[in-house]
Structures are given as structure tokens and as C-alpha cells.
Amino acid sequence: MLKNKKLKKLITKPSLFFKDYLNKKYPVYLNEMKCPQEEEQIIISYDEKIEKLFKNSDSIDVVFTWVDNKDLNWKEKYNFFSKIDKKSLGKYAKDSARFENHDELYYSLQSVLKFLPWVKKIFLVTDNQTPSWLKSIKTDKIHVVDHSEIIPSKYLPTFNSHVIEAHLHKIKDISENFIYFNDDVFVARALEASHFFKCNGHASLFISSKSLNYMLERGTLTPTLSASLSSSKLLQRKFGIRPETPLVHTYVPLRKSDYLQVWKCYEKEIESFLSNKFRTDNDLNLATFLVPWFSYLKGKSIIQRDICYYFNIRSRSAKSFYKAIRKAKNDGYSPHSFCANDFNSQNTPLESYQEILEAELKFYYEKD
């Protein structure tokens, strides 16, 4: 009977037959969990039912790090220290794409306000900068935090995201539970607080299907990979277990108490890289590897799923991701999040990639 149905589909609807056949043989993966696109909603809907049963009522904050590379004062500092910093820099450490501001932050903030209304406070960590459009956002949740408020002056200015992230727990009045965002990460649907922090206090650990060693074998050594490998070795030294799985490129649930413990355990190692003005292969990445995995190995976090579409906005493949995100929104089957990353300015970029990004974000967050 099944063979007859397949034969009928082949004869009457050949395009649909081959589409189904290829999707099964070559599943479409848009997320770093390697979850086939056709199975995403099964996972999301199941997890949502669980999260609604065990709601979290604790105070949860959000932290963004942001830079405006068009700011003249910032550019002057950047150019000055670029010339005098003679340390061995990591790959892409001074790539302009790392600092390029496309006003993604505006839409990332909107995504938090729209889909995470339970967030108590939103902290925006910057280098003496404030977005020109910030006053247009009607909320009293947003608080601008200057680097000088959390980072010792001897390390400033810094253009090293690893250094900035190492001090997030020092933000005044930040809650025990907070979620770290880069400005290129966007919440794509309404999410419960328990997606990030369980009612028993455990934080979610959103892991990818990648392997640090496999990435190293492929020759893709970047400051992020180096920092993860170094952090992994530190964890092995204390716990006898060496995590080799990076997190998904999305938001990261973090706990202030875990940060304090990490600093207490590894203060010497952390302080050894804080003077690096730009990212090097000798850094540690506290927010996106060391603290989350430390929390897990201490039994304070739990491995969780987050379907995040991750892509490079300069790549020609970005168009297929935009198409998938639009379709998901129209069909009511959006992923948890997506990350519209900008990297490697040396490659020939997608034509008008900045304008395309703005148009897609505007469609997603401003169209009813």
C-alpha cells in the first residue's frame, strides 16, 4: 500500500515526491543543534508545554554589550591602540566586521521587549556611548552601563569582548539570574522565563552539536575557539572532566554567583589576559563557555534545547535564512531565536547586505 502511494505521488506530483525524498535523505539544518527543519516545531512545542507547567517567578535581567564604530571618539581610541598594540592578535581580532554597527541592537532590544516581557531590567554595556534612537523606545527597563563602571581603569579602553564579558557580574544591582545577549541575537517568539532558568534555580545550557577538537582539526583557529579550549582545560583541572562542546550562537543564561565562583577559582588565569586590548589566542571566554560549563559541572545548570538560526549576513547563503525566517513567521512556526552574525570583511560580501538585514528585521518586528 505504501509503495502504491509513493508511486502515485511520483506520477501525479513529481516535484513534491522528489522534494520529500531529498528532505528525508538530505535533511535541511538551519540550526546548530543539527535538528532537521521539519522536526523543529515538534521539539519547540513539547518544550513549551513543560516550561509552562513549571514557571519561574524569579527576577531575571538581560545584558547587552554594544559598540558604535561610527563614533568619532571611539574611532580615535581604536586607531591609536591599533598602532601601539604589538601583541600577537588572534584571527579577525581587528576585522572591521567585528565592530560594525548596523543598528541591530534596536531590533534585538525590541525582540526582548516584545517576546520576553517578564524581564526586569535591561543593561546596555558600552564604551561611553548611547544609541541615538534609545529615547524613542518607550520603557524604563533600559539602563546604560559604561565600561568604567565595571572594568578597572588599568584595562581601559578595551576592544576585547572577552575582557568586557569577564566583568558582567559587576554591573550594579544586576539580578542573580541574567541573560547575556550580543546585539546580533534576536528572540524570534514568545518564550517563558523557564526556557532560561528553571523553577528549581537551574540555568539552561544551550549546547550545539559541534566539537572544539573537530573545529581545531579543520584549522579554524579563532580567538573564540582558543578561549574555549583554554577554558576547557581549566575546567578539566578542577573537575576532571573536559567539556568539548561549544554553546549555540544565541543568548546565554548566566548566574552572578557562578561568575563570582569562577573568579575565585581562576583569578590568576583571568587577570593574565585582561590587558589584551584586542582578542588574542590567550584569552578566556567567561560568558560563553567557562561560566556556563562551570555551572553545569557544579550541578547548577541543565542541558537544554534552543533552535537558533545562525548565519553570516555577508554570505550569499543569508538569503536562504531570511526566506526561512519569513516563512516561519508567516506560518506561526518561528525558531526560538536567530543570530545574524557579521564576520570576515575580507570576503566579497552579499550585495547590499546591510540594507537587506535592516529590511528583514523591520519586517519581522514591525509587521503585524
Side-chain angles (χ1 to χ4, degrees), residues 295-329:
S295 177
Y296 177 78
L297 294 174
K298 291 285 286 186
K300 296 180 179 179
S301 67
I302 184 171
I303 292 176
Q304 196 70 10
R305 294 177 286 244
D306 192 273
I307 303 295
C308 175
Y309 291 0
Y310 171 72
F311 57 97
N312 179 5
I313 63 173
R314 296 179 186 242
S315 171
R316 285 168 174 75
S317 66
K319 286 188 174 181
S320 63
F321 281 91
Y322 290 136
K323 182 179 179 180
I325 292 170
R326 278 198 176 223
K327 186 177 188 306
K329 175 181 171 65

Side-chain angles (χ1 to χ4, degrees), residues 25-26 56 85 171 204 224 231 305:
K25 190 170 184 178
Y26 307 103
N56 188 326
D85 192 341
I171 296 173
S204 294
T224 299
S231 297
R305 294 177 286 244

